[in-house]
């Protein structure tokens, strides 16, 4: 007999379980999704998170010591006890495990005792690989309990769940970008000087193994002025070497054509504005990768590393979909991720790749707008997910 699921009403409750692996990407996605479902769809959301310290970096209002709290309409619970006891009434109508985390066994047992059963979704990581389309929404029966879990994949076409995007995001972006005075005021609030704003502004967010020193050398020795804006703690060794001192928020130094300025780590909404204000964005992981796509600016993605370089396959799958006719972006992206063919691994090579991509900036901006239109046709992840959860199965 098939498992009977709840048919969520407008008063739906939803729980998301998140374990922080990639510092800010995991919690960044779950936090955006939680807020959107609560504010736009009236869902009662509980977000379970194991690492409140990382969470607080992107949400300063959070109390990293509180076991339970409400922030921006979302109940946040510190996930510390895998073996806690739960009653069926503790279980939400929709239960989401992010990226195959193990929900507390006691909670799963309570899910099985709840009538009707909750909708159980495994929200997977974002990838452009072909196999995702065949796995999206596939069911998986629990081996022991009368529960069925469905795999749910964000993605880049209508055979997936689409990308995370709040309802008013693009209107807010357009208003910000249409007002250069407001954008300049925002950058000035981060310590950026008028002279630095006049240069090509690049935001830099990457993992420690990125070839940052070679990129900084390429910008320093280049023919046009570049201002690199890097959040505190990112690429610390390379940034400190360039600065000749501690890479604390507010530190800055100019060498040759390059100025590097260290920014404070900002809340998610201000990070969005940083992406909107810059000319090119280097982003990493999943959350900032998606936000760069909604910024409407050229971007270079630093993908989360996996054993045996499996992430290179994932990177190439995305580039095949996003940039089949943009060889300059593809070449720099592969080099940035250590996925280039053998050879050409010095600063001079990186300088050449940067110059080629920078020469294509206008074309890349046009492409970003066309890509955005394609993604809008799919619908956004939160609403697609909720529609699936409320559909009969």
């Amino acid at each position: 007999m098939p498992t009977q699921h709840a048919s969520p009403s407008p008063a739906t409750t939803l729980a998301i379980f998140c374990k922080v692996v990639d510092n800010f990407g995991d919690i960044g996605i779950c936090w955006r999704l939680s807020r959107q479902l609560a504010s736009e769809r009236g869902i009662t959301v509980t977000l379970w998170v194991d690492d409140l310290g990382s969470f607080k970096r992107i949400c300063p209002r959070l109390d990293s010591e509180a076991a339970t709290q409400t922030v921006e309409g979302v109940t946040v619970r510190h996930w510390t006890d895998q073996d806690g006891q739960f009653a069926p009434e503790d279980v939400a109508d929709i239960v989401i495990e992010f990226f195959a985390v193990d929900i507390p066994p006691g909670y799963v047992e309570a899910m099985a005792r709840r009538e009707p059963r909750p909708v159980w979704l495994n929200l997977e990581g974002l990838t452009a690989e072909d196999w995702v389309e065949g796995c999206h929404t596939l069911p998986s029966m629990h081996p022991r309990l009368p529960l069925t879990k469905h795999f749910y994949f964000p993605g880049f076409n209508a055979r997936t769940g689409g990308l995370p995007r709040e309802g008013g995001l693009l209107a807010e972006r357009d208003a910000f970008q249409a007002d250069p005075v407001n954008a300049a005021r925002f950058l000035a609030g981060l310590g950026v000087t008028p002279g630095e704003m006049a240069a090509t502004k690049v935001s830099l967010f990457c993992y420690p193994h990125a070839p940052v020193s070679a990129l900084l050398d390429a910008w320093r020795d280049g023919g046009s002025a570049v201002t690199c804006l890097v959040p505190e703690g990112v690429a610390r060794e390379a940034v400190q070497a360039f600065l000749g001192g501690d890479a604390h928020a507010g530190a800055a130094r100019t060498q040759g054509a390059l100025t590097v300025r260290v920014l404070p780590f900002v809340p998610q909404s201000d990070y969005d504005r940083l992406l909107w204000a810059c000319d090119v964005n280097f982003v990493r992981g999943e959350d900032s990768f998606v936000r760069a796509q909604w910024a409407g600016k050229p971007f270079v993605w630093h993908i989360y590393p996996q054993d045996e370089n499996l992430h290179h396959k994932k990177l190439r799958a995305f580039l095949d979909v996003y940039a089949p006719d943009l060889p300059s972006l593809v070449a720099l992206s592969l080099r940035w991720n250590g996925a280039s063919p053998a050879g050409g691994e010095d600063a001079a090579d990186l300088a050449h790749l940067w110059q080629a991509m920078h020469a294509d900036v206008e074309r890349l901006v046009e492409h970003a707008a066309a890509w955005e239109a394609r993604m809008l046709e799919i619908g956004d992840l939160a609403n697609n997910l909720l529609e699936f959860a409320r559909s009969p199965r």
Side-chain angles (χ1 to χ4, degrees), residues 3 16 61 96 102 136 147 168 218-219 230 273 280 302 349:
T3 301
I16 301 180
R61 294 176 54 188
I96 299 175
D102 292 324
H136 180 56
L147 292 169
W219 285 336
V230 54
R273 294 183 179 92
V280 179
H302 200 210
D349 169 65

Side-chain angles (χ1 to χ4, degrees), residues 328-376:
S328 64
L329 175 60
V330 170
L332 180 57
S333 298
L334 293 175
R335 168 69 170 88
W336 186 242
N337 284 275
S340 298
E345 296 297 309
D346 58 9
D349 169 65
L350 196 55
H352 171 74
L353 296 175
W354 162 257
Q355 290 164 4
M357 195 197 86
H358 192 239
D360 279 347
V361 161
E362 290 187 9
R363 184 182 175 201
L364 292 171
V365 171
E366 293 175 357
H367 174 77
W371 176 259
E372 177 181 300
R374 286 175 56 186
M375 296 303 101
L376 288 175

Side-chain angles (χ1 to χ4, degrees), residues 196 199-202 219 224-228 257-260 354 358:
E196 292 165 2
T200 296
K201 297 177 293 297
V202 182
W219 285 336
S224 59
V226 173
T227 297
C228 176
L258 172 63
T259 298
V260 172
W354 162 257
H358 192 239

Side-chain angles (χ1 to χ4, degrees), residues 140-216:
S140 174
M141 299 290 293
H142 193 282
R144 181 172 54 86
L145 300 172
L147 292 169
T148 299
K149 174 167 56 179
H150 287 81
F151 295 95
Y152 203 87
F153 286 84
F156 304 102
N157 61 47
R159 296 178 294 279
T160 68
L163 298 177
R165 174 181 50 83
E166 304 91 316
L169 177 67
L170 301 186
E172 183 181 356
R173 179 204 66 191
D174 291 345
F176 179 90
Q177 293 179 336
D179 184 357
V181 174
N182 187 42
R185 186 181 301 117
F186 167 76
L187 290 172
L190 296 177
V192 183
T193 68
E196 292 165 2
M197 294 181 205
T200 296
K201 297 177 293 297
V202 182
S203 74
L204 178 63
F205 190 36
C206 61
Y207 296 107
H209 62 281
V212 174
S213 294
L215 183 62
L216 298 183

Side-chain angles (χ1 to χ4, degrees), residues 55-225:
F55 192 176
K56 187 174 178 63
R57 295 288 301 279
I58 62 171
C59 179
R61 294 176 54 188
L62 188 82
D63 180 354
S64 58
E65 302 299 323
T68 304
Q69 59 193 296
T70 299
V71 185
E72 298 187 38
V74 175
T75 298
V76 177
R77 297 194 60 173
H78 190 192
W79 181 9
T80 59
D81 186 5
Q82 280 285 89
D83 300 317
Q85 298 300 308
F86 296 88
E89 56 267 27
D90 297 326
V91 174
D93 299 320
I94 304 171
V95 179
I96 299 175
E97 58 183 42
F98 183 71
F99 207 44
V101 302
D102 292 324
I103 293 178
Y107 196 95
V108 177
E109 294 283 350
M111 288 167 61
R113 300 195 306 273
R114 186 188 192 271
E115 293 292 345
R117 305 279 191 267
V119 177
W120 185 7
L121 303 176
N122 175 16
L123 180 57
E124 286 283 358
L126 175 63
T127 179
E129 293 169 289
D130 292 341
W131 61 265
V132 165
E133 297 170 15
C135 295
H136 180 56
T137 72
L138 277 184
S140 174
M141 299 290 293
H142 193 282
R144 181 172 54 86
L145 300 172
L147 292 169
T148 299
K149 174 167 56 179
H150 287 81
F151 295 95
Y152 203 87
F153 286 84
F156 304 102
N157 61 47
R159 296 178 294 279
T160 68
L163 298 177
R165 174 181 50 83
E166 304 91 316
L169 177 67
L170 301 186
E172 183 181 356
R173 179 204 66 191
D174 291 345
F176 179 90
Q177 293 179 336
D179 184 357
V181 174
N182 187 42
R185 186 181 301 117
F186 167 76
L187 290 172
L190 296 177
V192 183
T193 68
E196 292 165 2
M197 294 181 205
T200 296
K201 297 177 293 297
V202 182
S203 74
L204 178 63
F205 190 36
C206 61
Y207 296 107
H209 62 281
V212 174
S213 294
L215 183 62
L216 298 183
D217 288 347
W219 285 336
R220 180 197 62 203
D221 300 333
S224 59

